């Protein structure tokens, strides 16, 4: 009897273990990446940088390391000379929360945030000398979170007041990523005016999209801070940040909770979402599938090899050897073959000469 | 066999682990077992040494200048065949950069703000506003330009800066300036590259990876003071990394690699000091010190008390008996020393908070002997003139200075208008090297060796014309203007005190950076201000306007013509009204002609 009870308990435990193990593997991804882009320049667009940094902060807090985050900020607000509190970017009025923090790594900043660089990061077509921190090295088992914010319109998003990216380009970039198997599942969040127009054209599988406003609506900013003088955050991202602050790495909230963030009463605009391309049911997708991180740990028992090292005297160089500089020999210039102009000129001269004086003079030259 | 490790913080997954290892006890896992197949060679590891120091110099204007220096010395050879694989104090990312690109010397600096020489004196380590990078490559490098391009990209990833904007349009190859600061056999300037980005912003994202290069990180030692919120709220902030080979000892038979990370910051009396002439570590950095870095062989704080021999101007607490003298920048200065490796420095409260309180505001400053300014003169958006003014404040000695100017290609310099005047008279430079620019390919390079007469002002002027850029070459904010990098003035300034030529002696780090060959002068580098020049900007909405207008004209003009030519007209019977329909129906029945 007792043995039967023990056996039953053990079987239950195994089943539970199996369930949690099964749940661990049901999402199918082995690593997480995040691409967070702020596309606006100039001091009055402080709120866009604050939006991006608050998502960056949440994503780092939930476990994604800096090496797996590509952060693109089009302008520097923290050390901007207009910022009354340098090295800080606040998201709440009265300077409650500094989303810039002390440990931030921005991969693309200033003029580097362009449509071309953004698309190259997504598709992986970067020049060979690009460092690792600027690459999206995802594979077919990566869940990627893409967050865009800035000024946008019906079907486009403005980059730095000088160029735009259209929804068709974005959809094609995602299709390229799908063809190259660069993602397992993709969560696309956009916080701009008329944001829903940006995800209308997606046609690749396994993409879930959220936007802060529908077509024809504007996304509004949240609250200004009188000491800093600009609006600090956009409404949608403000309530998204509040929602994410309650999430911890082991939390079980799913995407349906995320869709409920910022209803019309708080946001004034109507947030939208699109899940028809996504294969799994949104109710079974955990928030931490995209905002948190799965990490692989390799334990090795090997020891490193330590090798040994091995006369002439050295000396320092004169920093300003005046006599040497004055009497410097002319530099060895690399010899270049004469270019087309010089060759053409000489050909012309020779042609005229031989035309005038006849070909018989040739033997005197050679 | 797989084993899974569950942690509450994150989800971890381990790959195959040997059965044998799992079966053993924990102690054996970490120790070396005789049955292992690998062998630990019984050779001594290359010696490495880490020193940290902080120098605080109260400035005459009430501001305070703090300079951190962290030095790692390592006896190793990055250039040999077998790659160095075991790193201890030296950061691995920089070691790999050195060996991969065959770098002999690397100097990189990120600066926010401009150093005001006349108010603050000379800095221990000068740096221009923005980012500056100069590198000496080894003689074995065949394609220096390709190595330079890759090196800038790699460094931009390490320091989170946009150094990838360094390309041939802002790189120069100085012919006489920037001689190597380390040990070298011969100097062929073909292996030197110099570039500056005056527009580069410095913020926490550059400080974070810099701090991560330190052996103790920002967890222990002097680096705990480096908090970004206080450091960037200052008049001047500069962080640099210098890598070079140095002599190990006096005989100089072997060399070791030296990595110096320095951070200079000047806190303003009014913004950080709230107007009160009283400075403390807590007020400057919002932290106090509790311990030295355990990996450091020496950890010291130096306070410059030369102007305060009897404590008549300011009072220093807690008092310290240690005093040291050092000859730095041509002057013998006295410093109060706090040794953080001694537990007694921290006192009973286990923390050190230095306090400097001013009693009176008299006292004059030692005027710097060499000082330079630069500005743009002229009006309009077509032409202008660059003036570089150099001041020699020595009463009776003249000395030579080497001026390096690198001007972008879109300011076309007219070198025939170059004039150098001292005290109103022409002063011919004894050496001029000029490399003209090539549009969109390389900038102007002008190097001149000028002898500055004593107690004089020398002015160098050159006229330029602004070029029109293609509309895609403008930045997203072109009305801000375009920057011209600082001029670099390298000089051997006569010193009033005999300089120490033996650089390997135990010296504080701040006085041993520039190597000294002779006792009567010291080497100094002065940077001028960068210039901000407006280029004529086009109307960027014009392409859109032109496209709209042309398309409208074409559509209306050609479209109407096409319609007229290809449309065919047919006469159509209109549909009769209902009343007419009924009337016609009745008329048809009656057999009477229908209505039209």
């Amino acid at each position: 009897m007792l043995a039967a009870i023990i056996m039953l308990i053990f079987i239950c435990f195994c089943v539970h273990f199996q369930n949690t193990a099964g749940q661990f593997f049901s999402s199918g991804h082995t690593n997480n990446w995040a691409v967070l882009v702020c596309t606006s320049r100039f001091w009055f667009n402080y709120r866009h940088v604050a939006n991006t940094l608050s998502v960056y902060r949440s994503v780092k807090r939930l476990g994604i390391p800096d090496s797996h985050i590509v952060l693109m900020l089009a302008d520097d607000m923290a050390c901007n000379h207009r910022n009354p509190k340098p090295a800080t970017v606040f998201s709440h009025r009265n300077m409650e929360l500094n989303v810039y923090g002390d440990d931030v790594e921005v991969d693309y900043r200033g003029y580097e945030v362009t449509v071309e660089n953004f698309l190259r990061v997504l598709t992986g077509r970067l020049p060979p000398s690009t460092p690792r921190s600027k690459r999206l090295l995802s594979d077919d088992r990566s869940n990627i979170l893409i967050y865009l914010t800035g000024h946008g319109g019906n079907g486009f998003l403005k980059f730095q007041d000088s160029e735009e990216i259209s929804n068709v380009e974005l959809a094609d970039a995602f299709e390229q990523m799908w063809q190259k198997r660069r993602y397992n599942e993709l969560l696309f969040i956009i916080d701009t005016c008329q944001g829903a127009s940006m995800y209308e054209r997606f046609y690749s599988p396994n993409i879930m999209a959220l936007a802060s406003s529908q077509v024809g609506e504007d996304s509004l900013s949240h609250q200004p801070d009188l000491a800093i003088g600009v609006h600090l955050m956009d409404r949608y991202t403000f309530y998204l940040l509040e929602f994410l602050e309650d999430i911890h790495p082991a939390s079980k909230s799913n995407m349906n909770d995320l869709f409920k963030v910022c209803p019309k009463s708080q946001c004034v605009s109507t947030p939208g979402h699109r899940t028809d391309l996504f294969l799994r049911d949104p109710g079974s997708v955990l928030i931490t599938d995209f905002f948190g991180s799965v990490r692989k740990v390799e334990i090795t028992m090997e020891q490193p090899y330590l090798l040994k090292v091995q006369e002439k005297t050295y000396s320092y160089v004169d920093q300003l050897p005046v006599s040497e500089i004055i009497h410097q020999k002319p530099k060895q210039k690399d010899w270049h073959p004469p270019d087309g102009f010089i060759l053409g000129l000489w050909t012309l001269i020779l042609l005229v000469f031989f035309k005038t004086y006849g070909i018989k003079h040739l033997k005197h030259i050679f | 066999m797989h084993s899974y490790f569950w942690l509450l913080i994150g989800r971890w997954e381990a790959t195959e682990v040997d059965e044998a290892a799992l079966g053993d006890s924990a102690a054996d896992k970490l120790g070396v077992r005789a049955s292992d197949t690998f062998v630990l060679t019984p050779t001594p590891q290359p010696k490495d040494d880490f020193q940290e120091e902080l120098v605080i110099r109260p400035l005459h204007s009430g501001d305070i200048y703090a300079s951190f220096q962290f030095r790692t010395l390592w006896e190793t050879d990055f250039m040999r065949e077998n790659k160095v694989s075991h790193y201890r104090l030296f950061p691995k990312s920089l070691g790999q950069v050195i060996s991969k690109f065959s770098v002999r010397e690397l100097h990189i600096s990120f600066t926010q703000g401009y150093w005001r020489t006349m108010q603050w004196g000379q800095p221990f380590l000068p740096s221009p506003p923005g980012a500056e990078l100069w590198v000496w490559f080894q003689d074995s490098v065949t394609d220096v330009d390709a190595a330079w391009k890759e090196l800038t990209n790699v460094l931009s990833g390490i320091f989170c800066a946009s150094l990838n904007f360094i390309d041939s349009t802002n790189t120069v190859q100085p012919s006489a300036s920037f001689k190597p600061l380390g040990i070298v056999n011969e100097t062929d300037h073909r292996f030197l590259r110099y570039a500056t980005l005056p527009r580069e912003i410095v913020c926490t994202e550059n400080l974070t990876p810099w701090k991560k290069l330190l052996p103790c990180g920002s967890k222990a030692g002097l680096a705990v003071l480096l908090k970004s919120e206080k450091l960037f709220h200052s008049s001047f902030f500069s962080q640099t990394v210098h890598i070079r080979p140095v002599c190990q000892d006096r005989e100089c038979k072997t060399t070791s690699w030296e990595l110096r990370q320095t951070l200079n910051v000047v806190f303003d009396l009014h913004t950080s000091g709230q107007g009160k002439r009283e400075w403390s570590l807590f007020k400057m950095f919002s932290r106090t010190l509790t311990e030295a870095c355990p990996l450091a062989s020496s950890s010291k704080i130096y306070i410059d008390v030369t102007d305060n021999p009897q404590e008549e101007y300011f009072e220093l607490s807690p008092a310290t008996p240690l005093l040291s003298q050092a000859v730095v920048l041509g002057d013998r200065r006295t410093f109060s020393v706090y040794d953080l490796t001694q537990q007694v420095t921290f006192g009973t409260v286990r923390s050190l908070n230095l306090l400097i309180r001013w009693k009176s505001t008299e006292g004059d400053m030692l005027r710097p002997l060499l000082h330079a300014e630069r500005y743009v003169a002229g009006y309009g958006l077509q032409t202008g003139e660059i003036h570089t003014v150099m001041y020699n404040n020595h009463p009776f000695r003249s000395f030579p200075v080497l001026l390096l100017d690198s001007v972008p290609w879109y300011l076309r310099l007219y070198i025939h208008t170059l004039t150098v005047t001292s005290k109103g008279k022409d002063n011919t430079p004894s050496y001029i090297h000029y490399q003209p620019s090539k549009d969109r390919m390389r900038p102007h390079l002008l190097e001149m060796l000028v002898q500055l007469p004593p107690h004089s002002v020398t002015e160098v002027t050159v006229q330029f014309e602004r070029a029109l850029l293609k509309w895609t070459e403008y930045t997203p904010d072109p009305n801000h203007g375009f920057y011209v990098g600082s001029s670099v003035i390298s000089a051997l300034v006569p010193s009033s005190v005999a300089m120490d030529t033996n650089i390997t002696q135990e010296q504080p780090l701040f006085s041993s950076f520039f190597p000294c060959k002779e006792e009567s002068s010291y080497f100094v580098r002065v940077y001028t201000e960068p210039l901000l020049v407006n280029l004529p900007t086009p109307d960027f909405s014009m392409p859109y306007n032109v496209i709209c207008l042309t398309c409208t004209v074409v559509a209306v003009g050609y479209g109407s013509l096409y319609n007229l030519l290809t449309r065919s007209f047919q006469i159509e019977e209109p549909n009769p009204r209902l009343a007419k329909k009924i009337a016609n129906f009745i008329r048809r029945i009656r057999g009477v002609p229908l209505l039209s």
Side-chain angles (χ1 to χ4, degrees), chain B residues 354-402:
Chain B
L354 293 169
L355 188 61
I356 302 173
R357 196 181 288 120
W358 259 263
K359 290 192 257 199
S360 75
T361 54
E362 269 105 65
D364 48 318
M365 195 182 74
L366 181 77
R367 277 169 64 86
L369 292 174
L370 174 65
H371 168 56
E373 285 171 356
R374 193 159 75 138
Y375 57 91
V376 170
Y379 59 89
L381 283 175
Q382 187 166 7
T383 53
E385 215 171 81
I386 298 181
H387 291 245
T388 311
V389 183
M390 295 181 280
Y391 298 86
N392 177 358
N393 292 324
H394 203 283
F396 52 84
R397 293 275 300 273
S398 73
F399 51 87
V401 301
L402 188 60

Side-chain angles (χ1 to χ4, degrees), chain B residues 85-228:
Chain B
S85 52
H86 183 64
Y87 289 86
R88 199 173 77 101
L89 297 176
F90 203 93
K92 183 173 177 184
S93 48
L94 291 180
Q96 288 180 327
V97 162
I98 296 172
S99 44
K100 177 154 189 233
F101 297 107
S102 306
V103 164
R104 200 204 294 151
E105 268 190 41
L106 187 138
H107 302 271
I108 185 167
S109 75
F110 295 97
T111 311
Q112 178 203 67
Y114 174 66
W115 183 268
R116 296 171 212 286
T117 316
M118 288 310 271
Q119 288 154 352
W120 299 340
Q122 291 280 6
F124 296 123
L125 271 134
S127 49
E132 184 202 40
L133 171 67
W134 57 283
V135 175
W136 275 92
F137 289 94
Q138 300 275 356
D139 300 350
S140 54
V141 174
T142 42
D143 190 352
V144 181
D145 288 315
W148 171 250
K149 181 99 192 109
E150 284 196 32
L151 177 65
T152 50
N153 277 312
V154 165
L155 288 174
S156 86
I158 293 177
F159 291 105
C160 289
S162 33
L163 295 174
N164 45 324
F165 283 127
I166 292 178
D167 55 6
S168 63
T169 58
N170 46 26
T171 308
V172 290
Q173 198 180 315
S175 64
S177 310
F178 291 103
K179 294 255 180 261
L181 287 169
I183 304 294
V184 71
N185 290 336
E186 50 180 90
T187 59
D188 182 352
H189 279 263
R190 278 186 302 136
F191 296 102
L192 169 64
R193 292 290 184 272
Y194 172 81
T196 88
L197 291 173
R199 188 79 205 264
E200 192 65 21
I201 306 159
V202 189
C203 207
T204 313
E205 64 244 24
N206 306 112
L207 183 63
T208 308
W210 187 91
K211 282 197 286 190
K212 287 184 182 163
L213 295 174
L214 295 170
C216 281
S218 53
K219 309 273 188 312
L222 290 170
V224 299
L225 297 175
L226 303 176
K227 289 294 158 200
S228 54

Side-chain angles (χ1 to χ4, degrees), chain B residues 254-269:
Chain B
T254 44
T255 61
S256 49
W257 283 89
E258 179 195 72
L259 164 70
R260 268 190 204 234
Q261 289 179 252
T262 73
L263 195 141
N264 292 328
V265 61
V266 174
F267 291 104
D268 188 60
L269 173 66

Side-chain angles (χ1 to χ4, degrees), chain A residues 87-269:
Chain A
T88 57
V89 173
F90 292 107
S91 61
H92 285 64
R93 198 173 28 181
N94 299 326
M95 302 178 194
E96 283 163 24
L97 180 60
N98 174 15
V99 289
Y100 194 59
D102 222 359
D103 186 17
V104 56
E105 286 185 19
V106 181
D107 302 306
Y108 287 86
R109 57 187 202 155
Y111 298 130
E112 292 180 292
V113 179
T114 58
V115 173
E116 186 191 337
N117 279 347
F118 175 58
L119 293 177
R120 281 187 186 276
V121 163
L122 287 183
T123 53
R125 290 195 173 132
L126 289 158
S129 50
T130 317
R132 277 184 79 108
S133 57
K134 288 184 165 174
R135 288 179 189 259
L136 179 66
L137 298 165
S138 56
D139 51 32
D140 63 322
R141 309 268 275 158
S142 313
N143 274 13
I144 308 183
L145 165 72
I146 297 185
Y147 177 81
L148 294 175
T149 182
H151 289 288
N154 190 354
F156 68 91
L157 170 64
K158 194 165 72 155
F159 266 71
Q160 292 211 51
D161 213 16
S162 66
E163 45 182 7
E164 302 96 32
I165 186 173
S166 63
N167 47 6
V168 176
E169 277 177 354
L170 197 56
D172 286 342
F174 287 159
E175 177 64 14
Q176 276 193 51
M177 287 173 79
W178 175 252
Q179 299 278 346
K180 290 282 190 156
R181 296 288 178 266
R182 278 171 68 79
Y183 69 90
N184 177 34
E185 284 167 352
L186 204 129
L187 176 63
F188 175 77
I189 305 182
I190 184 161
D191 187 352
T192 64
C193 303
Q194 307 192 49
S197 62
M198 289 305 282
Y199 63 63
E200 273 171 2
R201 299 293 193 112
F202 291 167
Y203 55 95
S204 321
N206 269 346
I207 300 184
M208 193 185 311
L210 279 110
S212 58
S213 55
Q214 301 292 334
V215 175
E217 283 179 352
D218 285 338
S219 288
L220 302 178
S221 60
H222 188 66
Q223 41 176 224
D225 181 291
L226 295 174
I228 297 179
V230 284
H231 284 260
L232 294 182
M233 283 273 268
D234 277 335
R235 281 177 188 253
Y236 182 73
T237 314
F238 181 82
Y239 290 108
L240 181 70
L241 175 67
E242 269 191 12
F243 171 74
L244 288 174
E245 289 284 302
D246 289 332
I247 307 281
H248 54 89
S251 123
K252 294 274 170 278
S253 320
N254 56 37
M255 281 296 160
N256 285 334
D257 304 323
L258 193 62
F259 296 153
K260 293 199 201 88
V261 163
C262 208
K264 194 167 165 86
S265 54
Q266 282 174 332
C267 252
V268 184
S269 58

Side-chain angles (χ1 to χ4, degrees), chain A residues 79 100 109 111 297 306 316, chain B residues 12 41 199 203 205 517:
Chain A
C79 288
Y100 194 59
R109 57 187 202 155
Y111 298 130
V297 173
L306 301 168
Y316 284 103
Chain B
W12 301 66
T41 50
R199 188 79 205 264
C203 207
E205 64 244 24
K517 284 275 182 173

Side-chain angles (χ1 to χ4, degrees), chain A residues 321-330, chain B residues 430-431 449:
Chain A
V322 179
S323 51
E324 250 185 62
I325 290 173
I326 294 176
H327 299 112
Q328 218 169 3
K329 279 200 275 282
Chain B
S430 31
Y431 168 79
L449 186 68

